[in-house]
Amino acid sequence: MWNDELEELFLRTGHRFRRVEPRRRMRDYVRGLLGPVGRKNGWQLAEYAGHRTPDRLQRLLNGARWDADELRDDLQHYVAERLGEPDGILILDDTGFLKKGTTSAGVQRQYSGTAGRTENCQIGVFAAYATTRGRALVDRELYLPKSWTDDRDRCRAAHIPNERTFATKPDLAKAMVLRAIASPLPIAWVTADAAYGQEWRLRRMLEETGLGYVLAVPKSQQVPHFGRIDHLFSQAPEEAWEQRSCGDGAKGPRFYHWAALQITSIEDFDGEMPTHQRWALARRSISKPEEIAYYLCYAPLGTTVERLVRVAGTRWAIEEAFQAAKNECGLDQYEVRRYTGWMRHITLAILAHAFLAAMAADAAAKGAAETVPALRLSPWQKFGGSWQLATHPSPLTSPSSVHAH
């Protein structure tokens, strides 16, 4: 039952809250994030929990003593148990949170891929974990521009820790990869868009840890011994392009023309025989052949092109995770301004999102939701005029509303 599973999740995370009061408020908060609340801000979450004011929930986010990073560690254990598979894929990306004013931690006018333009916003860098069983967000960091990290008085006012100095988005992603490797999450691959794939330090780190990767890169990316990657593939004969599906989207298999080239084998760092291969990969639109995306890859010897294509196609899963976490768990509906409040709200929201992912995986495994995509489920149904946790899931949205990227 949904309620039993949620109680089990609360029990396994409750030890992170040493006092009874914040432990209860955490339960109220997560139940509200999962519940039928119009906009999941302080007042409406408090009203749903039966509180007269949002003070106690605000104290949970801003003043209570608990560590959001420790709760994130519990979340990763939970996702490993419920969704983990040996060939799991870690996906790196960022999303924007539109904000007004200048006092919210990390806010400034900056490009937001969510909005598709420069806006006054905060940027969160995230890691998602994906397998055939489902996908869930498993880590998060708030990007702090230099306009913040160079102004320590401003950082102190927003309760940003002194140790948080400037770090690029790929730097934040690297830290999350290292944490994921140290966690129980079984990971074989990492994928990300070109903003991260073009960072050679990230690629080098992944190779040193032995993780395979399929990382998008810009068309100007230099390939050792071959020059620009777009020039490399412009010389490919037409027969080098093969039609392949990179996975199912809202309208079925997503077919493109793909071309792949092995670049070089890589020796182990202790000088043993090569175990991995570098690849260059290109994806060309069938209907608009001028639209080509490029990737650099690192894979164990014997890996097929079909496998590289499938990993590349998994990147869109984090976009679906963002959409689900925002629409169903209030990921972007917070009203906190301080750094600590942001980290705590986001962590509780992705915990709620992971719960939905686990429930969707269970339902799919039992054949109860064969036509419902993962993460599009709500545990709440209306009985006799009141909302309750349901024994069985029901779809919130139809598969056609989930867009492949």
Side-chain angles (χ1 to χ4, degrees):
M1 293 178 61
W2 288 78
N3 195 47
D4 291 343
E5 175 67 22
L6 188 57
E7 283 300 318
E8 174 62 28
L9 180 59
F10 288 151
L11 286 173
R12 70 188 297 163
T13 56
H15 69 288
R16 300 302 187 185
F17 304 84
R18 297 180 181 178
R19 296 178 59 249
V20 172
E21 170 71 13
R23 192 180 308 136
R24 288 175 176 169
R25 299 295 80 82
M26 175 268 202
R27 290 176 172 232
D28 291 342
Y29 201 87
V30 172
R31 284 184 177 276
L33 292 176
L34 290 168
V37 180
R39 180 163 180 80
K40 296 173 182 182
N41 55 33
W43 275 103
Q44 293 196 34
L45 290 175
E47 182 181 30
Y48 182 79
H51 302 178
R52 294 179 60 186
T53 72
D55 292 351
R56 285 181 286 183
L57 296 184
Q58 290 175 352
R59 193 179 310 120
L60 172 74
L61 298 182
N62 295 310
R65 296 184 64 180
W66 60 282
D67 191 328
D69 286 346
E70 292 179 348
L71 190 64
R72 175 211 55 217
D73 294 343
D74 290 340
L75 161 66
Q76 293 183 348
H77 278 75
Y78 179 69
V79 172
E81 289 179 12
R82 305 307 299 271
L83 303 181
E85 291 180 344
D87 59 350
I89 301 172
L90 195 71
I91 313 166
L92 307 171
D93 202 357
D94 52 76
T95 189
F97 302 90
L98 300 182
K99 288 292 168 183
K100 297 180 180 179
T102 60
T103 57
S104 296
V107 72
Q108 74 166 21
R109 284 189 60 79
Q110 52 193 326
Y111 179 78
S112 166
T114 307
R117 58 185 181 275
T118 298
E119 289 281 0
N120 198 62
C121 65
Q122 295 168 299
I123 300 293
V125 181
F126 288 81
Y129 180 74
T131 68
T132 60
R133 298 167 67 185
R135 71 277 310 195
L137 298 169
V138 294
D139 207 346
R140 71 290 173 264
E141 287 287 357
L142 179 62
Y143 171 68
L144 299 175
K146 288 184 177 180
S147 63
W148 278 84
T149 57
D150 289 348
D151 187 341
R152 300 317 301 182
D153 289 338
R154 191 183 189 193
C155 286
R156 279 189 288 273
H159 290 206
I160 295 171
N162 289 332
E163 61 268 21
R164 274 303 309 267
T165 56
F166 178 72
T168 65
K169 294 167 192 172
D171 286 338
L172 298 176
K174 284 166 59 180
M176 289 192 285
V177 171
L178 292 175
R179 287 198 292 264
I181 292 172
S183 79
L185 291 167
I187 301 168
W189 298 91
V190 174
T191 187
D193 67 15
Y196 299 89
Q198 66 183 338
E199 175 53 62
W200 70 268
R201 294 178 184 85
L202 174 61
R203 300 198 304 272
R204 180 63 175 172
M205 185 199 77
L206 294 174
E207 292 180 4
E208 289 176 345
T209 58
L211 285 178
Y213 63 70
V214 180
L215 299 171
V217 293
K219 64 182 181 181
S220 59
Q221 179 70 45
Q222 294 291 318
V223 179
H225 311 300
F226 292 99
R228 283 174 54 127
I229 195 168
D230 60 342
H231 293 168
L232 171 63
F233 281 100
S234 69
Q235 303 169 42
E238 189 57 34
E239 57 268 25
W241 296 89
E242 297 182 351
Q243 182 171 302
R244 301 176 184 271
S245 169
C246 59
D248 290 342
K251 300 178 181 179
R254 293 170 293 149
F255 285 105
Y256 296 90
H257 285 147
W258 296 82
L261 176 69
Q262 294 185 11
I263 300 175
T264 181
S265 296
I266 304 168
E267 293 185 1
D268 276 348
F269 293 97
D270 60 4
E272 297 295 330
M273 292 296 293
T275 59
H276 288 73
Q277 185 93 34
R278 288 195 183 106
W279 295 73
L281 181 69
R283 184 197 72 200
R284 189 177 71 186
S285 169
I286 295 175
S287 59
K288 299 178 180 179
E290 69 279 5
E291 295 183 1
I292 305 177
Y294 303 96
Y295 304 83
L296 289 180
C297 311
Y298 173 80
L301 292 178
T303 300
T304 64
V305 175
E306 182 71 23
R307 182 61 182 148
L308 298 178
V309 167
R310 285 284 176 167
V311 174
T314 304
R315 200 206 69 80
W316 67 271
I318 196 170
E319 302 289 354
E320 185 189 51
F322 285 148
Q323 180 183 346
K326 289 179 178 181
N327 291 347
E328 299 172 22
C329 304
L331 184 73
D332 60 344
Q333 295 176 23
Y334 55 88
E335 295 177 335
V336 294
R337 294 183 177 180
R338 295 173 177 175
Y339 175 88
T340 302
W342 188 91
M343 293 292 285
R344 289 179 171 184
H345 167 82
I346 296 297
T347 304
L348 292 170
I350 66 174
L351 181 68
H353 174 262
F355 168 75
L356 291 185
M359 292 299 92
D362 283 354
K366 295 173 183 176
E370 294 178 352
T371 61
V372 180
L375 305 185
R376 308 308 300 168
L377 304 173
S378 172
W380 299 90
Q381 291 184 8
K382 205 166 189 177
F383 297 96
S386 63
W387 290 94
Q388 302 175 24
L389 279 170
T391 303
H392 301 291
S394 59
L396 269 181
T397 53
S398 65
S400 62
S401 67
V402 181
H403 300 284
H405 291 260

